[in-house]
Amino acid sequence: MPTAEQVQGWVAQPLTERTLTAGLTLLAWLMWLFVAYTAIAAAARRVRSGARWLRRLPLPTPLQATATSVAGAAALGAGQAAVAQAAEPVAPVTASTVDGSSISPDTTDTGLGEGVTIAGGWLPRETAEQVAAASMLVWLRRRRDYQPLTGAGPPHRDLAPLSTTVAAVRAALDVTTHADDPAGHSSPGEARAAGPPTVLPTAVALTGPGALHAGRGVLFTTLLAALRQPTGPTPTVITRVALTKLLGPAAAVALQQGIPGLQTTASLDDALTLASGTAGKVLLISETVPAPAGSRLAAALDTGTLTAVVLGTSPVGAAWHVDIHGHTSELGPSQQAGPRLCVLDQVAATDLLAVLTLTRPPLQPQPADAATVPRPRPPADTVTVYPAVTRPDPPPTQLRVLGKPALIVGGRTVTIRRSAAWQALILLAVHPDGLRTRQLTDAIWPGVPAHTVTGRLYTTLSDLRRSSGPVIDHAEDRYRLDPEQVDVDLWQLRAAAHRAATALTDHPGAWQNVIDAYTGDLATGHTWAWVDPPREAARRLVIDAYAAAAAVQPDPHRALELLEAALRVDPYNAHLHHRAADALTALGDPTAAAELLHAYHRCLADAGLPPGPVHQGAPSTR
């Protein structure tokens, strides 16, 4: 530190030789630091660029893979740990495939909006949205076909959840679209329509380690788009050899059940013949094209109505090398980079195939006997149904999951901002017997390895305990809501349905209790993939009650009011619409009945659904 005399001397004469030397020295050091920082940053950029280039190299030989396995495993483990601590996971790190290869996330992705990575593939955002729309179409189809008064089994007979692949796609879309607030999602009628991949040339041969993966991506992108064009989908013609290459054993399912917009042929010649006789654009997918067939393929391409994708080599069209992540480059001296294609392994493709077959199953009308009036059936989901218990004092906590979710503690609404916390609460409300850690992580983070999110689940549940009090019990790796500490409106609905199903007298009163207990769809505004089965199960409890009450109502006007109220709960149900049309006809207003069914069929068409089964005695508008 300078002395007092030195400070006084500097104030009297600041610009001395010594002070100027010190100032110039300081400036020189600052300039050196700036140059050093610039050099280090440039070197880091070059290292990252080199890493990206290395990722595009062909897969190593077995000997090379063995030599680098230890170091690679250590680096991958460290990277997974860092990601798990930094952010909520969206997709797993790697996924084995049926055909002997693997698809792992491409770390060169620059933006979440470009697409989503799941176990077994990468999907452009538009294709991912089409997958979500197709899954919602399955649930609308199930709502359309449910018949409350047939008595044919429990109301949960067709409520099986869709595949993990579909759940992972929807979860990734929720994260990338809504951050941590997934409220709201476009309906199938609002999803963006897509046609055959516009990035493809008129004819392209796909080679490389990702060729079959990209072929599946092209196939399912087009088939998913066909769901949004029910009146005139773009036909996809594929040879049986190519279909077997892409789908393996699942090809037999596709051939047996039939897929909207997909036609198969025994050979390439048959495929060209079929394509030439089809009006409009056609997508052709074939195995390797031999040289003798090249001239016929070229002639078909000249018509301008055909797009050809070849899984292998072809004498006609462009040739692209495709890596495992869907990145393409032209074969030849230029090796110019091309667009990124959707890639799917056989597991992911088979999962999507199941969704496509569920969107349009064979329609088999099942007549309902209107004279038979079964009671609303109790829930058949194997979980405990807590009956309504009269307590001297209500529990200190109320959990409302029908309608917009709300947690009320001591009369005060608790703010819960994180999606994972709400999902955990509502999952435990749906399953009063409780769930294990693995069950919770699989539902909240579908497709993500459980060990990467277990810590996040513990943190989420610990935060919930602090904000809600002792409502969550944890014993032997099982979490459950304490019925002595929390009151759940879903439990009250199930208890009312159970009492109505076992009541010996006062059936109308018991059905009315079910109606009064239903205050809205389960978790209204949220689009979590796991919520569809329990949401539909709760909805069926109340429309059962409406339908049963209407069937025994002596006043036809009151019966019509009950059916109209049921339609407000589920505007897609075919049985309820035809029952309401019957009621209008019985009241002497067949015009209103026809208008009701016409509006209903238009609503189904807007959602991409044909009219459903018609019950016996329903008026025909066809």
PDB file of all heavy atoms in Angstrom, residues 29 123 344 390:
ATOM      1  N   TRP A  29      -1.047  -5.881 -19.710  1.00  0.00           N
ATOM      2  CA  TRP A  29      -1.583  -7.121 -19.131  1.00  0.00           C
ATOM      3  C   TRP A  29      -3.035  -7.348 -19.552  1.00  0.00           C
ATOM      4  O   TRP A  29      -3.439  -8.466 -19.864  1.00  0.00           O
ATOM      5  CB  TRP A  29      -1.492  -7.069 -17.604  1.00  0.00           C
ATOM      6  CG  TRP A  29      -0.168  -7.523 -17.070  1.00  0.00           C
ATOM      7  CD1 TRP A  29       0.822  -6.772 -16.537  1.00  0.00           C
ATOM      8  CD2 TRP A  29       0.304  -8.875 -17.044  1.00  0.00           C
ATOM      9  NE1 TRP A  29       1.885  -7.543 -16.174  1.00  0.00           N
ATOM     10  CE2 TRP A  29       1.601  -8.857 -16.469  1.00  0.00           C
ATOM     11  CE3 TRP A  29      -0.221 -10.103 -17.447  1.00  0.00           C
ATOM     12  CZ2 TRP A  29       2.360 -10.013 -16.297  1.00  0.00           C
ATOM     13  CZ3 TRP A  29       0.532 -11.255 -17.270  1.00  0.00           C
ATOM     14  CH2 TRP A  29       1.821 -11.204 -16.701  1.00  0.00           C
ATOM     15  N   LEU A 123     -38.037 -37.514 -34.457  1.00  0.00           N
ATOM     16  CA  LEU A 123     -39.176 -37.107 -35.277  1.00  0.00           C
ATOM     17  C   LEU A 123     -39.169 -35.604 -35.449  1.00  0.00           C
ATOM     18  O   LEU A 123     -39.017 -34.866 -34.463  1.00  0.00           O
ATOM     19  CB  LEU A 123     -40.501 -37.519 -34.633  1.00  0.00           C
ATOM     20  CG  LEU A 123     -40.785 -39.006 -34.426  1.00  0.00           C
ATOM     21  CD1 LEU A 123     -40.167 -39.490 -33.108  1.00  0.00           C
ATOM     22  CD2 LEU A 123     -42.277 -39.265 -34.404  1.00  0.00           C
ATOM     23  N   LEU A 344     -36.871 -44.041 -37.281  1.00  0.00           N
ATOM     24  CA  LEU A 344     -37.551 -44.882 -36.293  1.00  0.00           C
ATOM     25  C   LEU A 344     -36.945 -46.272 -36.339  1.00  0.00           C
ATOM     26  O   LEU A 344     -36.671 -46.799 -37.420  1.00  0.00           O
ATOM     27  CB  LEU A 344     -39.046 -44.987 -36.603  1.00  0.00           C
ATOM     28  CG  LEU A 344     -39.863 -43.694 -36.610  1.00  0.00           C
ATOM     29  CD1 LEU A 344     -41.237 -43.956 -37.226  1.00  0.00           C
ATOM     30  CD2 LEU A 344     -40.016 -43.136 -35.209  1.00  0.00           C
ATOM     31  N   THR A 390     -68.545 -40.405   6.700  1.00  0.00           N
ATOM     32  CA  THR A 390     -69.013 -39.249   7.451  1.00  0.00           C
ATOM     33  C   THR A 390     -68.100 -39.030   8.653  1.00  0.00           C
ATOM     34  O   THR A 390     -67.994 -39.891   9.533  1.00  0.00           O
ATOM     35  CB  THR A 390     -70.458 -39.462   7.926  1.00  0.00           C
ATOM     36  OG1 THR A 390     -71.275 -39.719   6.790  1.00  0.00           O
ATOM     37  CG2 THR A 390     -70.965 -38.240   8.671  1.00  0.00           C
TER      38      THR A 390
END
